[in-house]
Amino acid sequence: MRLVIKVGTSTLAHSSGKLNIRRVEELCKVISDLKNAGNEIVLVSSGAIGMGVGKLNLPARPSDMPTKQAAAAVGQCELMYTYDKLFSEYNHTVAQILITGDDIENEGRRLHFINTMEKLLELGALPVINENDTVATAEIAVGDNDTLAAIVAVNIKAQLLVLLTDIDGLYSADPKKDKTAKLIPIVGNIDDKIISLAGGAGSSLGTGGMATKIHAAQICTESGTDMIIANGSNPQILYNILEGEGRFTYFKGKRL
Ligand code: GLU
């Protein structure tokens, strides 16, 4: 199976912005195992800004563009260093790909991106993708990695996109406020009701939230790619997902 897995900052880092070592080690182990089992995997990883905040000892996520971009430049190194080290333990080779919205909108650059991805997968490498945050100002950025992951999944014709986050999936109401809120296991059609359940922003270090995840689901399902929102706190959930069981929300792609 060709599979894109997106991990959010809330999964990779503690709220201080420092790496959640146990979580990331487990994630790299499970992904390595899934690759060994014959799956083609692409990782879309957030965490550059969050990790830069930790490494530069900034008091909080910056709000101004230059500091965000500087934090991303520092944090992206830390991210790739960590992935390179952990995946090497299981004999997997990582490749860094940094893109912006502009790169996908330009037909020539989009095709170069797809060709490189195909070649990396053919060579057995593990592409790790993030937005090129140091150059991606508002006008040219995709802006959040949920949408970026959906764009990647659709362009490389992945069967499934998994968004790993800090909640089990989409709920019938906000589970932080409403005790009766229930996890929605399957969404066949993303109608206004589903969109209205998405609520607002995400964690203090990341960009997304449920709204960007529903947007990602719209992009995927329209193009026939399935999408799952699942809790990344236990990366073993990836095994459950491939076996088709467990707690998550599954968005069924349109069969074209
Ligand atoms: N590209 C951002 C980063 O790596 C994350 C964007 C997002 O959280 O969606 O920090």
Side-chain angles (χ1 to χ4, degrees):
M1 181 186 247
R2 181 171 285 191
L3 170 73
V4 177
I5 299 168
K6 181 260 174 179
V7 270
T9 307
S10 62
T11 300
L12 296 168
H14 293 287
S15 51
S16 61
K18 302 263 195 236
L19 190 71
N20 185 329
I21 296 174
R22 183 167 53 174
R23 178 89 51 75
V24 175
E25 282 188 346
E26 187 64 23
L27 179 74
C28 293
K29 188 168 148 186
V30 174
I31 291 178
S32 296
D33 198 23
L34 294 178
K35 263 178 77 62
N36 287 353
N39 298 290
E40 286 183 329
I41 300 188
V42 172
L43 185 59
V44 174
S45 178
S46 301
I49 299 174
M51 237 159 263
V53 168
K55 238 193 155 186
L56 292 165
N57 289 315
L58 302 178
R61 186 184 163 96
S63 50
D64 66 294
M65 189 57 94
T67 317
K68 261 193 218 170
Q69 292 179 316
V74 170
Q76 183 64 29
C77 290
E78 175 82 351
L79 259 186
M80 288 314 293
Y81 166 74
T82 306
Y83 285 132
D84 193 14
K85 194 171 91 167
L86 295 176
F87 281 113
S88 295
E89 286 179 20
Y90 302 102
N91 287 319
H92 288 294
T93 301
V94 294
Q96 172 182 261
I97 307 220
L98 298 175
I99 53 170
T100 65
D102 228 17
D103 296 322
I104 296 297
E105 267 156 42
N106 177 296
E107 189 55 12
R109 291 214 292 274
R110 189 179 76 89
L111 291 177
H112 289 307
F113 164 71
I114 294 173
N115 290 342
T116 306
M117 291 295 291
E118 290 293 344
K119 187 51 86 178
L120 285 168
L121 292 172
E122 186 190 312
L123 293 168
L126 173 65
V128 181
I129 304 183
N130 197 355
E131 181 124 39
N132 193 355
D133 289 319
T134 55
V135 298
T137 49
E139 310 78 62
I140 62 160
V142 174
D144 70 86
N145 276 1
D146 297 325
T147 309
L148 180 70
I151 292 171
V152 167
V154 164
N155 272 283
I156 65 166
K157 300 192 168 38
Q159 280 112 302
L160 175 68
L161 166 64
V162 179
L163 301 180
L164 291 179
T165 185
D166 56 2
I167 189 165
D168 289 347
L170 182 67
Y171 279 80
S172 57
D174 183 349
K176 285 182 195 132
K177 294 187 195 135
D178 185 345
K179 291 249 172 325
T180 65
K182 289 209 168 47
L183 184 74
I184 301 173
I186 300 182
V187 175
N189 179 31
I190 304 169
D191 53 18
D192 290 347
K193 187 156 172 284
I194 293 291
I195 294 169
S196 73
L197 292 175
S203 72
S204 58
L205 285 169
T207 305
M210 209 37 90
T212 54
K213 290 176 179 55
I214 300 300
H215 182 224
Q218 286 174 313
I219 296 171
C220 283
T221 52
E222 280 301 315
S223 294
T225 298
D226 294 337
M227 197 193 93
I228 282 177
I229 302 173
N231 199 326
S233 64
N234 178 8
Q236 302 251 352
I237 189 136
L238 289 168
Y239 290 122
N240 303 118
I241 287 172
L242 291 195
E243 283 154 12
E245 57 181 48
R247 267 181 83 72
F248 47 75
T249 301
Y250 169 63
F251 297 82
K252 203 167 170 353
K254 290 199 177 126
R255 296 296 168 245
L256 305 170

